[in-house]
């Protein structure tokens, strides 16, 4: 008897709390309309292992929003809007990502979201955002149809991804290491891996290279000696990986220690400083990554400006910050070009834009042929090479995304 | 090729041994399953990083400092967070979980989440039996052997060591013999945390250092203990070597995925036929 | 009907009526989402406590939820079963595996049993990651369909397209689970569990096959975890092995202990309060773990019986104060 009345008490208390929270949120929502803010959602891993990338991505978005607001915000049909960000932690798994997306859509009532690093989480969240007609600007992907296709009309992706880095990085190999004929691949174990391998293999064979094979490794791997012992036994001339920065550092270090001296490429845009630091200066050589060295004098004026802003506020800066500026900025430019806050209208405008300002130069939208939908960003990307512990900016490349 | 794989396995094995030994010392002598053991390992790595990189000290000196610091930290933690829950399983679990949260969040707040690396004490590689080992890996094996041997000598030859064995077998009987159980507990905790810190510092030089490396260490420690024997020190050594060799040999010969599965299958089989582990007593 | 009976009946029905009409007043989908997650956690915490009544602390619940979630998703998506058929089967799958694993596990006592269940969660997670053909590997399964609509002409039309429908399903699951768990606990079987918890050797000496009963307690508790998993996967529409790591097992354990293990209502209170904590904390998300750790330490050091023991504790303190006052006055 006593315990059940206690339960009743707790339940009523809870309902009271929830009703209270509900009314509070309800009031808050109405005041927003008068202030004319445009609320944009941000989804990133802020805690947990992926936060080493998630935090920089979230921070650069905040800086970009402040920068845009500092320039007068955006103007739609004569009405000025100030951008306000609603930031949610997507953590590590598909259920926490779905919860974060649900919170953004149903609690914060956003219509535009920048977010999701992991392609797996992006695919899991897609049903939620697509059904709610919320535009998503993805931070990363591998290039497989499950991430972005005609079935996801509200999803866009600005940064270049491994599938589209690959052809350029292969051409670079042929040009710079002409004696390299046999290549092998070492990818992180992700669902897009077989698809990515197929595309990269095609591109490699078209250039006359011989692809020895593919090895997959779990993302939790720390010790690469066992796997590399196996991979190096087939004596490849070059190795292509997909790897997060610390994994790339580990692969580079172990491969060099085991006696491999050929070039190693990362198809994922990992920060070159991190890779170099983990591998150690002595062993960081002939390693090429499709990410900018933010300290290089060859950076565009805008990237230099962004780097300064980040250093000012966060006392550190690398490509994990700088690389994501455009994911947010392009979405805002699309909203402004459409002169409309309705996601369907913004989507229609965005996919037609063929001259968009980017931190790395000028870009446009592409992908109608290769992805089925013109929602892929085509913009210059930087490639950095590590030589004897030093970073050298190789150049600016433009992907071909028909 | 076989030599390379064996050496890889040997190194992995010794790291597992260091972590598992610390865990089993705390488990059998302090009487608590220290879920925060992985975080102790992680803190050890960060202290080595700090002294090596920020203070510029020699790696071995930093390692020694870390071992001592973390050992003493462990003694403090044992007194306030573990000892009150000695025979209280739920309390111990909750307390150690709180420790995980506190330690991990504190390190994130102090050091940030970006990947750090501890520079190797000696650059270059060594050729052993036709196989290659970086100096850090060789040092790891050697230091581990030294530490474990020291521990074994301590346990078998000193009075406190013998007292530790007595407490692990029967705490009440040991107390009746006049052994100061609390003091022995503190010593065991010191040693256990010291070993974990050593493991953290050594692997930090080989791999990377982040606030999240603890979970993997804890899981491996638990697997080794279950395999080798709950409450058994020789068991931790044998269990660690077995798991290390599985990880080192199966991966190149078959695949990475199979290495994980075979390791777990071995443990499951042991559990089915001998739940107390290979050398456990229960 | 005498007064006592009337009050007792009311204390059962009034909360249920209130819970039933909640969606009529609260339309905000996110609030309903929080309530649904509370329900999920109540089932998990209560079934874990059920296992604990036999003296066993399991950290394997995450693995059982995972089994239930995958079983249901696969039965519906690969074999075309209706959700309503897959749901009990998911529970039975979890129960079956708990039963098989239980026999070797119960040979271990105390903390060793707990460690082995933790290890087991890891095994299930790894199986989910490696058995790609079955489970979709690391990425898991996405686009899991909603439960099949329940249409009773004139009475019910639940299409499960709105949060409110899922709320009712969650509520039903919670009520059914609590009723069944309470019934078993109050029965002779429940008494046997308690006797095993108090003293296993003594129970053995009066002829109780303690191993069999421990496995039974373990299996029944895991059955409800499996059911919960099935609900979870069809509600969120995506599952992956990483969602069911040992952290989930630990959270469920925390709900149970913080709420209070001695009483049936303990885990319920614990689950409700601790589901709310992340929602109500406004500060920087990175420091949320500190708050959580603080709550944990507060409970184990000062309120060992959990939140439900608070009224008793307070009344004891008050009585002591009153008595002291009376004593010093007279």
């Amino acid at each position: 008897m006593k315990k059940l009345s206690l339960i009743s008490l707790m339940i009523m208390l809870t309902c009271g709390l929830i009703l209270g929270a509900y009314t509070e949120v309800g009031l808050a929502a109405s005041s927003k309309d008068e202030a004319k803010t445009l609320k944009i959602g941000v989804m990133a891993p802020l805690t947990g292992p992926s936060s080493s990338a998630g935090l920089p991505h979230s921070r650069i978005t905040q800086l970009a929003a402040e920068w845009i607001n500092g320039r007068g915000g955006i103007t739609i049909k004569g009405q000025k809007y100030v951008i306000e960000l609603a930031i949610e932690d997507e953590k590590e798994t598909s259920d926490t990502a779905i919860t974060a997306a649900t919170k953004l859509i149903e609690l914060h009532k956003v219509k535009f979201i920048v977010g999701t690093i992991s392609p797996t989480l992006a695919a899991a969240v897609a049903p939620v955002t697509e059904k709610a007609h919320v535009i998503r600007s993805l931070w990363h992907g591998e290039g497989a149809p499950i991430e972005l296709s005609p079935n996801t009309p509200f999803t866009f992706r600005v940064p270049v991804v491994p599938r589209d880095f690959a052809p350029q990085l292969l051409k670079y190999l042929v040009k710079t290491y002409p004696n390299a004929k046999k290549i092998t691949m070492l990818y992180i174990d992700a669902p897009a891996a077989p698809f990515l391998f197929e595309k990269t293999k095609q591109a490699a064979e078209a250039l006359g290279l011989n692809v020895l094979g593919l090895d997959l490794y779990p993302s939790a791997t720390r010790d690469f000696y066992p796997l590399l012992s196996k991979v190096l036994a087939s004596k490849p001339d070059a190795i292509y990986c997909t790897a997060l920065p610390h994994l790339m550092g580990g692969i580079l270090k172990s491969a060099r220690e085991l006696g491999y001296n050929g070039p190693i490429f990362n198809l994922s845009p990992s920060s070159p400083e991190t890779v170099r630091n983990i591998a150690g200066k002595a062993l960081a050589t002939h390693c090429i990554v499709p990410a900018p060295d933010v300290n290089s004098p060859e950076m565009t004026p805008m990237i230099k400006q962004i780097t300064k802003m980040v250093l000012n506020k966060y006392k550190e800066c690398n490509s994990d910050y700088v690389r994501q500026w455009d994911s947010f900025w392009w979405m805002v430019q699309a909203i402004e070009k459409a002169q409309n806050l309705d996601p369907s209208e913004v989507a229609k405008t965005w996919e037609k834009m063929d001259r968009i300002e980017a931190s790395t130069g000028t870009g446009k939208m592409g992908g109608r042929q290769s992805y089925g939908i013109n929602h892929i960003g085509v913009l210059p990307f930087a490639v950095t090479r590590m030589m004897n512990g030093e970073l050298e900016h190789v150049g600016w490349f433009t992907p071909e995304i028909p | 090729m076989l030599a390379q794989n064996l050496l890889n396995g040997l190194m992995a094995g010794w790291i597992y041994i260091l972590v598992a030994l610390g865990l089993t010392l705390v488990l059998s002598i302090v009487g608590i399953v220290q879920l925060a053991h992985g975080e102790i390992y992680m803190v050890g790595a960060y202290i080595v990083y700090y002294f090596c990189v920020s203070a510029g000290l020699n790696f071995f000196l930093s390692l020694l400092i870390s071992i001592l610091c973390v050992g003493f930290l462990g003694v403090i933690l044992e007194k306030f967070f573990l000892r009150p829950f000695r025979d209280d399983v739920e309390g111990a679990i909750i307390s150690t979980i709180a420790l995980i949260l506190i330690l991990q969040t504190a390190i994130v707040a102090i050091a940030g989440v970006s990947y750090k690396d501890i520079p190797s004490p000696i650059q270059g590689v060594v050729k052993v039996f036709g196989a290659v080992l970086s100096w850090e890996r060789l040092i790891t094996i050697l230091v581990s052997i030294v530490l474990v041997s020291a521990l074994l000598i301590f346990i078998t030859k000193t009075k406190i060591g013998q007292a530790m064995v007595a407490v692990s077998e029967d705490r009440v009987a040991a107390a009746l013999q006049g052994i100061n159980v609390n003091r022995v507990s503190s010593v065991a905790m010191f040693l256990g945390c010291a070993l974990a810190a050593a493991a953290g510092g050594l692997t930090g030089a080989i791999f990377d250092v982040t606030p999240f490396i603890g979970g993997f260490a804890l899981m491996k420690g638990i697997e080794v203990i279950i395999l080798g024997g709950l409450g058994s020190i020789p068991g931790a050594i044998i269990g660690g070597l077995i798991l290390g060799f599985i990880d080192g040999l199966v991966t190149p010969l078959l695949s990475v995925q199979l290495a994980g599965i075979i390791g777990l299958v071995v443990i499951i089989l042991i559990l089915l036929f001998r739940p107390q582990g290979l050398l456990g007593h229960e | 009907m005498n007064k006592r009976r009337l009050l007792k009946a009311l204390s059962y029905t009034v909360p249920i009526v209130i819970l039933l009409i909640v969606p009529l007043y609260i339309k905000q989908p996110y609030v309903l989402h929080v309530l649904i997650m509370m329900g999920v956690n109540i089932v998990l915490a209560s079934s874990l406590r059920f296992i604990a009544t036999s003296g066993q602390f399991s950290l394997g619940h995450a693995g059982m939820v995972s089994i239930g979630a995958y079983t249901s998703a696969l039965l519906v998506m690969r074999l075309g079963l209706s959700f309503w058929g897959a749901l009990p089967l998911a529970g039975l799958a979890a129960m079956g595996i708990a039963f098989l694993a239980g026999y070797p596990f119960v040979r271990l006592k105390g903390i060793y049993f707990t460690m082995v269940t933790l290890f087991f969660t890891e095994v299930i997670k790894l199986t989910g990651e490696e058995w790609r053909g079955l489970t979709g590997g690391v990425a898991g399964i996405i686009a899991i369909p909603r439960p099949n609509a329940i249409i009773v002409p004139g009475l019910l039309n639940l299409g499960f397209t709105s949060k409110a429908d899922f709320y009712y399903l969650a509520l039903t699951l919670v009520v059914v689970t609590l009723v069944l768990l309470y019934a078993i606990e109050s029965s002779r079987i429940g008494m046997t569990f308690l006797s095993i918890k108090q003293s296993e050797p003594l129970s053995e000496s009066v002829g109780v096959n303690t191993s069999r009963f421990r496995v039974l307690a373990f299996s029944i508790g895991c059955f409800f975890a499996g059911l919960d998993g099935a609900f979870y996967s069809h509600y969120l529409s995506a599952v992956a092995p990483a969602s069911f790591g040992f952290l989930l097992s630990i959270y469920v354990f925390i709900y149970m202990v913080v709420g209070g293990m001695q009483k049936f209502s303990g885990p319920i209170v614990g689950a409700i309060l601790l589901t709310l904590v992340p929602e109500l904390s406004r500060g920087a998300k990175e420091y949320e773990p500190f708050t959580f750790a603080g709550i944990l330490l507060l409970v184990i050091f000062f309120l060992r019986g959990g939140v439900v023991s608070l009224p008793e504790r307070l009344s004891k303190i008050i009585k002591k104060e009153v008595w002291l006052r009376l004593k010093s006055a007279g």
Side-chain angles (χ1 to χ4, degrees), chain B residues 26-63:
Chain B
V26 177
L27 182 58
S28 54
I29 298 169
V30 180
I32 305 276
V33 64
Q34 227 283 64
L35 292 175
H37 196 64
E39 308 315 306
I40 301 280
Y41 160 96
M42 180 267 292
V43 170
Y46 268 96
I47 295 185
V48 174
Y49 170 80
Y50 172 73
F51 279 104
C52 225
V53 172
S54 305
L57 292 179
N58 169 275
F59 172 77
F60 293 102
L61 189 57
S62 308
L63 192 62

Side-chain angles (χ1 to χ4, degrees), chain A residues 58-313:
Chain A
S58 163
R59 288 173 175 172
I60 197 71
T61 309
Q62 291 173 58
L63 277 181
E66 282 166 25
W67 181 78
I68 295 175
N69 287 339
R71 283 163 56 148
I74 56 177
T75 310
I76 311 278
K77 296 195 175 114
Q79 168 72 53
K80 238 187 173 182
Y81 286 87
V82 166
I83 298 178
E84 192 188 296
L85 297 178
I87 304 176
E88 285 298 332
D89 183 358
E90 71 184 20
K91 301 193 186 155
E92 299 292 317
T93 59
S94 39
D95 56 320
T96 48
I98 290 180
T99 307
T102 308
K103 215 168 173 178
L104 284 175
I105 297 175
E106 293 175 359
L107 189 65
H108 299 287
K109 307 241 194 309
V110 302
K111 285 294 184 189
F112 303 94
I113 296 180
V114 179
T116 309
I117 297 183
S118 151
T120 315
L121 298 189
V125 167
V128 176
T129 54
E130 293 293 320
K131 180 166 168 222
H133 289 205
V134 167
I135 287 195
R136 258 191 326 166
S137 181
L138 295 176
W139 267 324
H140 188 52
E142 308 258 304
I146 195 169
E147 307 155 15
L148 202 162
S149 72
N151 294 330
T152 58
F154 290 92
T155 303
F156 291 77
R157 186 177 60 220
V158 177
V160 185
V161 299
R163 171 184 169 177
D164 301 310
F165 285 131
Q168 307 286 359
L169 291 176
L170 288 164
K171 283 187 197 146
Y172 177 78
L173 173 75
V174 170
K175 194 178 95 172
T176 320
Y177 300 91
N179 294 326
K181 289 289 169 227
K182 298 179 290 172
I183 67 175
T184 189
M185 317 255 185
L186 182 57
Y187 290 175
I188 205 170
D189 193 358
F195 180 85
L196 183 63
F197 178 65
E198 271 315 304
K199 289 287 172 194
T200 313
K201 185 166 176 227
Q202 275 172 27
E205 287 170 349
L207 290 170
L209 297 166
N210 176 12
V211 178
L212 295 173
L214 169 69
D215 282 281
L216 295 176
Y217 67 89
S219 63
T221 309
R222 282 182 95 206
D223 189 353
F224 283 98
Y225 264 41
L227 187 57
L228 280 172
S229 301
K230 174 172 179 249
V231 170
L232 294 176
S234 56
K235 302 218 187 303
D237 298 321
I239 304 179
Y240 280 77
C241 315
T242 60
L244 300 167
H246 64 296
L247 297 172
M248 191 64 212
I251 293 174
L252 178 60
K253 186 175 181 185
S254 303
R256 295 279 177 250
E257 285 171 354
L258 288 171
Y260 173 73
N261 294 318
I264 300 183
F265 288 79
N266 195 353
L267 290 173
S268 299
S270 52
S271 147
E273 293 97 333
T274 311
V275 175
R276 192 259 315 264
N277 291 344
I278 293 189
K281 280 199 164 174
L283 299 172
T285 199
H286 290 292
C287 178
I288 298 102
V289 303
D293 166 17
V294 298
N295 296 316
S296 161
E298 308 291 325
M299 291 294 114
T300 64
M302 188 157 190
I303 291 189
K304 288 185 180 160
Q305 192 191 353
I306 296 173
T307 306
K308 237 191 242 154
M309 285 200 293
V310 175
L311 279 172
N312 233 354
K313 189 156 182 196

Side-chain angles (χ1 to χ4, degrees), chain A residues 311-386:
Chain A
L311 279 172
N312 233 354
K313 189 156 182 196
Y314 298 109
K315 309 287 179 274
E316 63 169 14
C317 187
N318 57 35
S319 61
D320 285 334
Y321 284 89
V322 164
R323 201 164 47 85
Q324 295 299 350
W325 179 274
D326 298 312
S327 308
F328 180 70
W329 194 24
W330 278 35
M331 187 164 73
V332 172
Q333 288 185 62
I335 297 175
E336 202 159 22
K337 182 123 199 253
Q339 285 293 298
N340 202 317
L341 289 178
D342 178 354
S344 308
E345 295 302 316
V346 175
K348 279 192 215 143
T349 306
W350 194 351
E351 61 193 12
K352 294 202 194 80
M353 286 168 81
D354 65 354
R355 206 182 154 71
I356 317 176
E357 272 188 85
S359 61
T360 59
T362 321
K364 60 178 182 164
M365 297 311 285
R368 174 156 329 270
Q369 240 185 59
S370 43
Y371 287 86
I373 191 171
N374 221 41
H375 285 202
I376 307 289
V378 183
L379 67 166
F381 62 91
V383 172
T384 306
R385 184 167 74 154
M386 283 158 248

Side-chain angles (χ1 to χ4, degrees), chain B residues 23 27-28 31-33 35 80-81 84-85 88-95 97-103 105-106 108-109 215 218-219 222-223 225-226 230-231 256-258 260-261 263-264 267-268 271-276 281-282, chain C residues 57 59 100-101 104-105 107-124 126-127 129-132 246-247 250-251 253-258 261-262 286-290 292-294 296-297 299-301 304:
Chain B
L23 195 57
L27 182 58
S28 54
I32 305 276
V33 64
L35 292 175
F80 294 109
F81 292 96
F85 305 104
D88 179 1
V89 174
E90 318 94 81
I93 294 178
I94 303 278
S95 182
I97 290 168
L99 278 181
I100 295 179
L101 294 174
I102 293 174
L103 288 172
T105 314
V108 167
L218 176 70
M219 214 54 233
I222 291 183
E223 287 172 18
I225 295 184
I226 294 180
L230 305 158
V256 182
Q257 291 76 28
L258 277 174
I261 294 181
L264 288 179
I267 299 177
I268 291 174
L271 271 177
L272 283 174
F273 298 110
R274 207 186 145 80
Q276 65 269 47
H281 46 69
E282 199 62 25
Chain C
F57 296 109
L59 283 181
L100 289 173
F105 287 1
R107 277 145 76 177
L108 297 169
K109 312 271 182 270
I111 197 66
Y112 298 121
F113 172 83
T114 307
M115 275 174 62
V116 152
T117 54
L118 185 63
F119 164 71
F120 194 59
T121 300
E122 196 63 20
V123 170
I124 294 178
L126 198 80
T127 310
E129 287 173 356
E130 300 305 338
W131 198 344
R132 286 144 217 276
F246 74 76
L247 214 58
I250 286 178
Y251 279 138
F253 190 85
I254 291 177
Y255 301 151
M256 177 180 78
V257 175
V258 167
M261 266 182 19
Q262 302 297 354
E286 294 106 76
Y287 300 116
E288 199 182 279
F290 273 138
F292 211 68
L296 295 181
L297 293 173
V299 166
I300 49 167
F301 278 109
R304 196 60 188 78

